[in-house]
Amino acid sequence: MNQLGAHELMEVHEVLTNTIDGINQFQLYQPHCKDPELQNILQNQIIFMTNEYNSIVQIVRNKSSQQNFSTYRPLKNASPSFGTSGGTPEAPNSSINEMNDHDVASGMLGCLKASAALRMHAALECSDPELRNVVLQGAKNCAEQAYEVWQYLNQKGYYQVPVFQQNTAQAIINHYQPAGNQMNNQQT
């Protein structure tokens, strides 16, 4: 790895701080998590985040590439459920004692979405190609983790996916047409 520029080093600092905050936040959720499936997801993600953090620290400290930077693998994949069914109204809890699995999963999802965006931004600022690839993989990992939590929320009915009526959806889809040969002719 080459010398790191000040801007990219500050971005990596933000990524590492964000990772520490995420690990700490997920640890705070553990006593409030009752569903064994969510407990599994939470524990698996804490372990993965900790390993990823250690890998980034090692890469930056040693200024050498780590060939085996991890890719997050969800515990399971499920088909999303589409449509809405009213749902339960939401409001902030009046006490920490009210925190439940929905709150835990929702907090995890918000953390992971923000982390994915932060890492993508950091990757765009990296001048070192190896560090850029590691941070970019970190953004993808956060997106995969977020999708795993979203699937849990969706399966439990906590995160509903509204859909348009078929004619509205088709009108939007048909609004865009493929580019013609004009684009190909401009390149020659």
Side-chain angles (χ1 to χ4, degrees), residues 36-120:
E37 180 183 0
L38 184 58
Q39 286 173 346
N40 253 358
I41 293 169
L42 181 60
Q43 190 58 39
N44 189 46
Q45 290 198 7
I46 289 171
I47 291 167
F48 184 85
M49 292 161 72
T50 302
N51 291 337
E52 186 177 62
Y53 169 83
N54 286 333
S55 293
I56 295 170
V57 168
Q58 183 180 16
I59 288 166
V60 173
R61 279 187 166 193
N62 295 336
K63 295 190 174 110
S64 64
S65 176
Q66 169 130 353
Q67 299 297 331
N68 297 339
F69 192 73
S70 298
T71 300
Y72 187 77
R73 304 269 186 248
L75 295 174
K76 73 175 194 173
N77 280 312
S79 297
S81 174
F82 292 95
T84 55
S85 61
T88 307
E90 293 187 39
N93 295 331
S94 57
S95 162
I96 190 72
N97 298 327
E98 294 178 10
M99 186 168 278
N100 59 30
D101 291 329
H102 174 231
D103 299 322
V104 168
S106 183
M108 289 172 67
L109 182 60
C111 175
L112 292 163
K113 285 179 174 182
S115 294
L118 177 90
R119 282 163 174 71
M120 181 57 74

